[in-house]
Amino acid sequence: MNEIPILTLTTFLPLIGVFFLLFLKGEEEFVNRTSGYISLLTSGIVFLASILILNNFNYNNPDFQFVEQHDWIFNFVNYKVGIDGISLSFILLTTFITPICILATINSVKKRLREFLIALLLMETMMIGVFCSLDLFIFYLFFEAGLIPMFLIIGIWGGEKRVYSAFKFFLYTLFGSIFMLISIIYIYFDAGTLDVEKLLNIQINKDYQKYLWLGFFASFAVKTPMWPVHTWLPDAHVEAPTSGSVILAAILLKMAGYGFIRFSLGLFPDASVYFAPLVFALSIIAIIYTSLVALVQKDMKKLIAYSSVAHMGFVTIGIFVFNKQGIEGSIFQMISHGIISSALFLCVGVVYDRMHTREISEYGGVVNIMPKYAVMFMVFTLGSLGLPGTSGFVGEILVLIGSFKYNYWIAFFAATGVILSACYSLWLYRRVVFGKITNEKIQNLTDLNKNEYLILTPLLIMTIVLGFYPALILDLISSSVDKVSSNMTDYIKLAGAVK
Amino acid sequence: MAYTIIFAPLIGFLIAGLFGRKIGDLGSQIITSSLIFLSAIISCYYLYQFIIGSDVLNFVIFNWISSGQLNLNWSIYIDTLTAVMLVVVTSVSFLVHVYSIGYMSHDPDKPRFMSYLSLFTFAMLMLITSDNFLQLFFGWEGVGLASYLLIGFWFKKPSANAAAIKAFVVNRVGDFGLAIGIFLIYKYTGSLNFSEVFQAVPSLLDKKINFIGTDGNLITYICVFLFIGAMGKSAQLFLHTWLPDAMEGPTPVSALIHAATMVTAGVFLVVRCSPIFEFSPFSQSLIVTIGASTAFFAATIGLVQNDIKKVIAYSTCSQLGYMFFAAGIGAYHIAIFHLFTHAFFKALLFLCAGSVIHSLHEEQDIRKMGGIYKKIPYTYAFMVIGTLAITGFPFLSGFYSKDAILEAAYFSTNSMGMYATSIGVFTALLTSIYSWRLIYKTFHGNYKNESYEFDKVHESPPVILIPLFVLTIGAIFAGFVFKDIFIGTDHQNFWKSAIFFKEQFELKHPPLWFLLFTPISGVIIIFAAYYFYVRNEKILENLKQTHKPLYNFLLNKWYFDELYDFLFTKPAKAIGSFFWSKGDVKIIDGFGPNGFAKIIKILSDRAVLFQSGYLYHYAFVILIGLTILLTYLII
């Protein structure tokens, strides 16, 4: 396998699809249909390629594998990619979600379908790129370039207030990124390289670590999003079209979590320990605050968006407790949230396509007309509230166990979020699905069609399979996480000895 | 074989749930019922094996979570305690499955109902066959889910939906406690497997920790938090509010989940963790106090409720209190014995109530019943036997278990032993009063329902009566047959390692008056209650009028719902709205992106003023600039 640059291929494969799409001409219907097939095929192949990578992946090797390196811009930038278990799990998430997204798009987007699909495929390249780049500059490029297609998706295909939301999204994330860029430039001048593998073995000057950490933090905190820079997310979700929301929730948010693990912990262990309490405070506020806010939402998507912020709060807590359960739990929680929240947004999309409203009060009694939909929605709701037997539980419980070991107060407060999540999720479900039919429009709904089945079933299966057999992910990330967490624990011990 | 016990209900759930429409109503009823029957038979076989002295069985299904030190399996662990629970769960579940065929005959969603029942059974079996705390937690939340689904089964009723959510959320509060307990265990023992944890406990006895701001003994903290979990599931005082509301669900559900099995999971947890609880006198006293208080509190409310199912629900709550205080004084085997007998007579009472409701066409208010005993003689007979059993009428099942609890309390060395004994005896009298009140109001006196003609009242079909009959047998004989095995002098041989006694539990004999007091007063109450509730209702009516505040206090269930609404529900919503409208929209967005945009707008508006277009303005600015620059350079 070493001869074939499989990572590069996988990353840029979607661009080939984009290339074909660009030159597609003819009747609108023909263009729409063909572009649908092309992008499905492309993303399907990408998915297979990622499975191929998984097949050849060595589970016991904690270091980067499939590394490729080329000189690019003089000596300043190297093109370097490679993966460990952590990155691979996110790549798999990306390649798994994208085809589902494309299907959902074909199913519901009517205007400028081809352009939408181009944006999605571009996104896929960027997202895979983020997770496999081993050079900070390349990472930054992918990380930021991913913004543009998303900005367009919200701005062009979004709802009524799409322009406001798109700009809010863009400004927020750009604002954070500037600080990260400055930090990256500083690192280059300080260490003379942007090669992540090399940087991981260098101790960056302790005095500067804090500032650099804050620079990265600014960017990641916005993307996660952490409280109080989360307000772009509900707006973006509400205005984005369904598949935009799915990509946003499933993968874009995860780039930040990935960044925390790879860069904040890896490059700045000193500062990470120093700032951990800040992260905990913000995450706990996020969990309780946004859960309470979710309780009073009237818009389905907004409610799910706020619950996303709360769920990501668990992720950031898990990462910064530095122990194995915490970090594994965070990664698992991200994967699981990627699956479950996409599914929830898709579920909202299903009824939105029929009713053209997201107001919770417009619904009620949907189960009478759409029993199959009700079952699907139920499973994902339960996953979202972390019922054992779904993937949501495993991530949450690992994070809680990990954080309890670190400091019981954190787990204590975070666990209250588990109670609140039951309240808002069940409330949403009850108001939308149960009850008598009050709105006569609901009488005319139809149950899930074939495409929607095809979209939701894989997510349903993954939710349950990962709940009962989480080893699928845990085995994959185990040795890499071991490396990260043992680095951190060694480091903390060392720091303790110095004190 | 052990696998069959667990997976038969799961298969039943999947078949009825996924293919319910294809195999039809009858198909799913038969498949689910017969699969549960299979597990019930095998469970009985296992119990028999344990009675004749089998050893603990432990099967690993496959690895579940493994992360660092934490290593947990999906497992099937069967010891005596599990075997007893298996029999209770599968046999009651089977009878309820059969009963449901008749009871739900007019419901359009039979496959869904049957599949939920099987799902519940599966989750409950996972709970009791776990060999670690996390699988127990899985079952724990799983039964909560099934309970949620079944309470809200009639999803068109808003009250059913509200009750379902309330049940789930209140249980989550308890689960929060359980989770904290589990985290504490993991942090200090490094494991969540029962055997490893229980081995580690003796070495941690003197460990002091600082937790949530107070110093204390580790074991005590663990026990208290585990017990909070148990309180939620078993509807003990302060976390009991969901149980009466849960009666919104179909009656078979109440019998299975909210009487015989799920609500006893808390008792099971405490008994399962006896190797921990035995070392924490403080939490034992706490359990005794909460248990006894719940027994009393729920019985007082049961005295005045008018919904036939709510009376029985409060009675369940009260009986669970008995089980807890038995466990609290260290008589774990007696607690399980009462759990065992209670499962039969309480399921019987609920199913009889269901039969009454069925006969009266969905009427649940006992003020609209009366005089129907001739119309439904079988149901009447079964229900009277159930009532005799619960009130501890001599030689029926409740007599043995409840008396054993009171005797154990009488000799208890626990600091709350006296409290428990007196409350226990007094509550036994209350139990008799509310139980007989229910019988008399329902079956005797005059028929008072105007909307449903007396002549239309009809006895239920055999598919309902046969399960009742089987349960009646249980309610009569379960105590007599099993008392020597469960709580006799040889009980150690039966329970073996399943229950841990720090000191040998000795059976002593209390004075004769103590033994005779409850049964005799129980018999007297039968007649007294007849007088007050049937012959001369005026006396009580007057009493009600003269003590209006007390009556209302009881009728409104000590105002717990109103209190919690005031303390938790409303503030949560208010805070949520506040955070949203003030926090997110006003402050963060106001100062953040929107404020930023505003400032830029203001600045650019100002900047526009400079570009006036007049040459002399520009010239003037340039001049001033030059002056300042020069001044700066010169100085």
Side-chain angles (χ1 to χ4, degrees):
Chain A
M1 284 303 289
N2 281 337
E3 309 84 52
I4 309 166
I6 179 106
L7 276 184
T8 309
L9 274 180
T10 314
T11 311
F12 293 104
L13 247 174
L15 294 186
I16 297 176
V18 171
F19 181 80
F20 282 114
L21 288 183
L22 280 176
F23 293 99
L24 210 55
K25 270 183 194 154
E27 294 283 309
E28 199 190 340
E29 201 182 323
F30 168 77
V31 170
N32 280 355
R33 181 144 8 114
T34 326
S35 54
Y37 286 138
I38 291 178
S39 29
L40 264 185
L41 186 71
T42 316
S43 59
I45 295 174
V46 175
F47 179 63
L48 289 181
S50 65
I51 295 290
L52 194 68
I53 296 177
L54 178 69
N55 235 349
N56 288 289
F57 185 81
N58 179 359
Y59 278 47
N60 301 319
N61 182 357
D63 295 317
F64 293 103
Q65 305 179 34
F66 305 101
V67 177
E68 301 164 27
Q69 190 167 7
H70 306 282
D71 283 342
W72 192 21
I73 312 174
F74 310 116
N75 283 330
F76 173 53
V77 178
N78 280 317
Y79 174 82
K80 184 171 181 184
V81 290
I83 49 170
D84 63 354
I86 300 173
S87 4
L88 182 54
S89 57
F90 287 106
I91 291 176
L92 287 169
L93 178 69
T94 312
T95 57
F96 173 71
I97 293 288
T98 310
I100 292 175
C101 250
I102 288 175
L103 251 180
T105 311
I106 296 171
N107 204 17
S108 63
V109 172
K110 297 285 174 274
K111 70 169 187 186
R112 299 201 203 172
L113 178 63
R114 181 177 68 151
E115 284 79 2
F116 199 121
L117 293 171
I118 291 177
L120 280 180
L121 288 175
L122 278 175
M123 289 283 290
E124 188 173 22
T125 292
M126 305 303 166
M127 293 180 303
I128 300 175
V130 164
F131 295 126
C132 65
S133 45
L134 283 184
D135 183 283
L136 273 179
F137 190 77
I138 303 279
F139 169 78
Y140 183 78
L141 276 187
F142 281 128
F143 194 78
E144 289 312 309
L147 278 183
I148 299 163
M150 195 65 221
F151 172 71
L152 294 175
I153 287 177
I154 298 175
I156 297 175
W157 289 275
E160 278 166 26
K161 282 170 65 189
R162 56 178 179 262
V163 177
Y164 170 77
S165 297
F167 273 100
K168 199 170 176 183
F169 163 74
F170 199 78
L171 279 181
Y172 249 119
T173 39
L174 199 67
F175 172 78
S177 304
I178 289 169
F179 294 102
M180 182 162 78
L181 183 63
I182 297 171
S183 299
I184 291 177
I185 294 172
Y186 182 87
I187 291 175
Y188 178 74
F189 285 115
D190 190 57
T193 179
L194 288 177
D195 184 329
V196 176
E197 254 185 316
K198 282 183 194 155
L199 285 172
L200 287 174
N201 295 321
I202 300 175
Q203 265 279 12
I204 293 172
N205 188 330
K206 274 187 194 173
D207 300 329
Y208 292 110
Q209 266 196 29
K210 283 176 194 163
Y211 301 106
L212 298 175
W213 188 93
L214 282 175
F216 277 76
F217 179 72
S219 173
F220 295 152
V222 168
K223 271 237 166 96
T224 306
M226 292 175 76
W227 187 88
V229 285
H230 64 280
T231 58
W232 61 272
L233 187 75
D235 281 319
H237 270 312
V238 167
E239 296 306 324
T242 304
S243 41
S245 289
V246 171
I247 290 276
L248 187 60
I251 303 157
L252 280 190
L253 305 187
K254 309 305 180 288
M255 298 204 256
Y258 172 77
F260 274 129
I261 298 174
R262 176 73 72 232
F263 302 114
S264 299
L265 259 53
L267 303 181
F268 322 117
D270 244 317
S272 294
V273 176
Y274 181 80
F275 284 114
L278 171 74
V279 175
F280 297 141
L282 294 181
S283 313
I284 288 169
I285 295 174
I287 291 173
I288 297 174
Y289 177 106
T290 49
S291 298
L292 287 171
V293 172
L295 267 180
V296 296
Q297 293 307 310
K298 298 178 181 70
D299 181 305
M300 292 157 94
K301 267 188 153 180
K302 238 181 192 166
L303 194 152
I304 301 171
Y306 273 110
S307 84
S308 282
V309 181
H311 282 125
M312 292 307 282
F314 279 95
V315 171
T316 40
I317 287 179
I319 293 171
F320 281 86
V321 296
F322 309 128
N323 56 35
K324 191 167 186 210
Q325 283 94 15
I327 298 176
E328 283 200 346
S330 298
I331 297 171
F332 200 90
Q333 170 86 344
M334 283 194 265
I335 305 281
S336 143
H337 177 259
I339 294 167
I340 293 171
S341 69
S342 336
L344 284 175
F345 280 120
L346 288 166
C347 282
V348 174
V350 166
V351 284
Y352 180 77
D353 287 346
R354 292 164 170 73
M355 298 269 294
H356 301 287
T357 175
R358 288 180 307 261
E359 282 288 309
I360 296 172
S361 55
E362 294 277 312
Y363 290 87
V366 171
V367 65
N368 297 296
I369 312 294
M370 307 171 69
K372 288 167 187 164
Y373 169 76
V375 173
M376 291 269 189
F377 196 5
M378 170 61 88
V379 175
F380 297 126
T381 303
L382 296 173
S384 166
L385 60 82
L387 190 86
T390 64
S391 59
F393 172 72
V394 182
E396 259 173 29
I397 201 81
L398 283 175
V399 168
L400 287 174
I401 285 180
S403 54
F404 196 91
K405 257 169 53 177
Y406 185 88
N407 179 335
Y408 60 80
W409 278 115
I410 302 169
F412 198 81
F413 284 117
T416 56
V418 177
I419 301 174
L420 291 170
S421 72
C423 299
Y424 62 70
S425 313
L426 292 179
W427 181 79
L428 170 70
Y429 189 80
R430 169 195 165 190
R431 290 299 303 275
V432 173
V433 177
F434 286 151
K436 276 185 195 150
I437 298 176
T438 43
N439 186 342
E440 54 200 51
K441 273 195 222 156
I442 290 183
Q443 209 60 260
N444 305 323
L445 296 181
T446 47
D447 210 341
L448 296 176
N449 63 30
K450 226 184 231 167
N451 268 348
E452 287 161 345
Y453 257 119
L454 209 58
I455 294 166
L456 288 173
T457 312
L459 297 169
L460 183 87
I461 292 172
M462 285 315 284
T463 306
I464 292 171
V465 167
L466 287 181
F468 281 91
Y469 192 64
L472 280 182
I473 301 289
L474 292 179
D475 284 351
L476 179 62
I477 58 179
S478 177
S479 57
S480 305
V481 171
D482 250 345
K483 194 179 160 198
V484 175
S485 72
S486 65
N487 267 349
M488 287 308 294
T489 17
D490 288 353
Y491 177 78
I492 293 168
K493 267 182 204 151
L494 206 70
V498 171
K499 273 177 198 167
Chain B
M1 277 214 302
Y3 284 66
T4 319
I5 300 182
I6 310 278
F7 290 110
L10 180 65
I11 294 167
F13 157 66
L14 291 174
I15 293 178
L18 295 175
F19 311 110
R21 271 155 218 260
K22 290 205 183 108
I23 56 175
D25 293 350
L26 192 65
S28 42
Q29 284 163 343
I30 290 175
I31 286 176
T32 48
S33 307
S34 42
L35 283 166
I36 303 276
F37 182 64
L38 190 64
S39 342
I41 294 288
I42 301 174
S43 304
C44 290
Y45 166 78
Y46 272 115
L47 181 61
Y48 173 73
Q49 289 292 319
F50 277 96
I51 290 172
I52 60 171
S54 164
D55 275 333
V56 171
L57 301 163
N58 197 356
F59 308 92
V60 172
I61 306 174
F62 59 83
N63 185 273
W64 183 18
I65 295 179
S66 125
S67 167
Q69 267 190 325
L70 184 68
N71 205 331
L72 298 165
N73 294 319
W74 292 110
S75 59
I76 302 177
Y77 176 85
I78 304 181
D79 61 1
T80 315
L81 178 60
T82 308
V84 172
M85 291 298 289
L86 281 177
V87 170
V88 170
V89 172
T90 52
S91 58
V92 175
S93 174
F94 168 64
L95 293 173
V96 167
H97 270 77
V98 175
Y99 178 93
S100 303
I101 297 175
Y103 191 81
M104 302 298 282
S105 57
H106 302 299
D107 198 279
D109 283 325
K110 292 180 206 90
R112 185 161 66 92
F113 186 75
M114 301 311 277
S115 74
Y116 286 172
L117 284 182
S118 290
L119 172 67
F120 166 78
T121 313
F122 166 69
M124 189 71 202
L125 293 172
M126 288 302 271
L127 193 164
I128 56 181
T129 58
S130 167
D131 75 346
N132 62 63
F133 279 99
L134 217 59
Q135 185 185 328
L136 179 130
F137 194 74
F138 165 83
W140 195 266
E141 292 244 308
V143 291
L145 164 71
S147 157
Y148 163 81
L149 291 171
L150 283 164
I151 295 170
F153 183 75
W154 287 315
F155 52 76
K156 286 181 191 167
K157 267 170 56 182
S159 58
N161 285 322
I165 292 188
K166 186 171 175 185
F168 198 89
V169 170
V170 175
N171 265 299
R172 271 256 158 147
V173 176
D175 296 352
F176 170 80
L178 178 60
I180 298 286
I182 291 176
F183 298 154
L184 274 170
I185 291 172
Y186 180 70
K187 180 168 180 178
Y188 290 99
T189 65
S191 172
L192 285 179
N193 291 319
F194 288 139
S195 55
E196 288 163 32
V197 171
F198 296 157
Q199 261 170 22
V201 166
S203 62
L204 293 170
L205 290 184
D206 298 323
K207 181 133 183 106
K208 296 271 185 286
I209 59 162
N210 179 294
F211 189 63
I212 43 176
T214 44
D215 289 307
N217 185 292
L218 170 68
I219 300 291
T220 298
Y221 276 123
I222 291 177
C223 291
V224 169
F225 280 101
L226 290 181
F227 180 59
I228 290 174
M231 282 167 67
K233 194 102 299 177
S234 296
Q236 293 298 288
L237 194 55
F238 303 117
L239 292 179
H240 66 280
T241 51
W242 64 272
L243 184 61
D245 290 27
M247 297 301 127
E248 289 290 342
T251 310
V253 174
S254 316
L256 176 61
I257 300 186
H258 307 121
T261 57
M262 183 185 88
V263 287
T264 61
V267 182
F268 170 79
L269 175 71
V270 172
V271 176
R272 171 60 84 210
C273 296
S274 55
I276 311 179
F277 281 97
E278 275 292 86
F279 291 109
S280 172
F282 172 80
S283 50
Q284 285 184 311
S285 302
L286 178 74
I287 295 175
V288 173
T289 315
I290 295 278
S293 308
T294 309
F296 169 72
F297 147 86
T300 58
I301 296 178
L303 285 175
V304 298
Q305 294 302 308
N306 290 320
D307 182 314
I308 184 168
K309 286 177 73 182
K310 286 211 169 144
V311 176
I312 308 179
Y314 277 106
S315 151
T316 306
C317 208
S318 170
Q319 297 300 313
L320 289 165
Y322 273 102
M323 293 175 210
F324 272 112
F325 84 66
I329 54 180
Y332 302 99
H333 54 312
I334 300 177
I336 292 294
F337 186 47
H338 193 55
L339 187 160
F340 184 73
T341 58
H342 173 259
F344 292 107
F345 59 71
K346 189 51 65 65
L348 173 63
L349 283 174
F350 260 121
L351 293 183
C352 286
S355 175
V356 171
I357 295 167
H358 194 76
S359 311
L360 290 168
H361 200 74
E362 307 303 317
E363 183 54 66
Q364 299 195 7
D365 192 334
I366 52 174
R367 287 170 298 188
K368 293 184 181 163
M369 298 177 184
I372 52 174
Y373 68 96
K374 275 184 199 153
K375 284 283 188 181
I376 46 174
Y378 294 112
T379 306
Y380 174 63
F382 294 144
M383 192 148 176
V384 166
I385 293 173
T387 303
L388 288 171
I390 192 177
T391 53
F393 191 80
F395 313 119
L396 269 64
S397 60
F399 168 74
Y400 293 104
S401 54
K402 196 185 279 180
D403 261 24
I405 292 179
L406 295 177
E407 284 166 29
Y410 185 81
F411 287 110
S412 162
T413 50
N414 188 293
S415 53
M416 299 307 288
M418 218 32 236
Y419 173 73
T421 319
S422 41
I423 291 262
V425 171
F426 185 64
T427 306
L429 305 184
L430 292 181
T431 309
S432 298
I433 297 173
Y434 69 68
S435 303
W436 288 109
R437 167 178 178 264
L438 188 66
I439 291 285
Y440 294 137
K441 284 254 188 186
T442 310
F443 293 102
H444 294 267
N446 301 321
Y447 186 71
K448 302 177 201 73
N449 192 348
E450 282 157 14
S451 55
Y452 193 68
E453 281 171 46
F454 184 67
D455 289 337
K456 280 194 195 161
V457 177
H458 56 89
E459 182 61 283
S460 302
V463 70
I464 285 184
L465 293 178
I466 290 170
L468 292 183
F469 175 72
V470 178
L471 284 170
T472 308
I473 303 286
I476 297 174
F477 296 110
F480 177 72
V481 173
F482 288 99
K483 72 170 195 308
D484 287 333
I485 302 168
F486 278 45
I487 57 169
T489 40
D490 254 0
H491 63 84
Q492 288 270 24
N493 274 337
F494 176 62
W495 296 105
K496 296 198 193 80
S497 59
I499 294 178
F500 174 79
F501 296 100
K502 205 165 75 178
E503 289 150 18
Q504 187 84 20
F505 193 91
E506 281 174 49
L507 223 51
K508 291 179 238 171
H509 289 284
L512 195 63
W513 67 265
F514 186 79
L515 280 179
L516 291 179
F517 180 71
T518 28
I520 289 179
S521 42
V523 175
I524 294 170
I525 285 170
I526 300 177
F527 299 105
Y530 186 73
Y531 180 75
F532 284 115
Y533 287 112
V534 183
R535 277 301 155 96
N536 200 342
E537 291 182 83
K538 285 216 177 94
I539 301 174
L540 284 179
E541 202 55 44
N542 287 336
L543 203 64
K544 208 193 279 181
Q545 292 306 327
T546 47
H547 294 80
K548 201 84 188 169
L550 178 67
Y551 177 73
N552 279 337
F553 182 67
L554 295 180
L555 189 68
N556 288 305
K557 310 150 196 168
W558 293 31
Y559 293 106
F560 264 103
D561 281 333
E562 287 75 7
L563 184 70
Y564 285 172
D565 195 45
F566 175 74
L567 282 181
F568 303 114
T569 321
K570 280 188 183 145
K573 289 230 160 170
I575 294 171
S577 312
F578 176 79
F579 277 161
W580 183 41
S581 60
K582 294 289 181 297
D584 265 23
V585 178
K586 270 239 169 88
I587 297 178
I588 298 178
D589 275 359
F591 285 104
N594 295 352
F596 207 64
K598 216 180 259 171
I599 290 170
I600 291 188
K601 175 129 190 339
I602 292 169
L603 286 180
S604 66
D605 284 350
R606 291 275 159 80
V608 166
L609 293 179
F610 286 106
Q611 300 162 18
S612 58
Y614 295 111
L615 198 62
Y616 61 89
H617 280 179
Y618 293 143
F620 182 67
V621 170
I622 291 171
L623 262 179
I624 290 193
L626 258 178
T627 322
I628 293 172
L629 187 69
L630 280 174
T631 324
Y632 177 76
L633 284 177
I634 292 164
I635 296 169

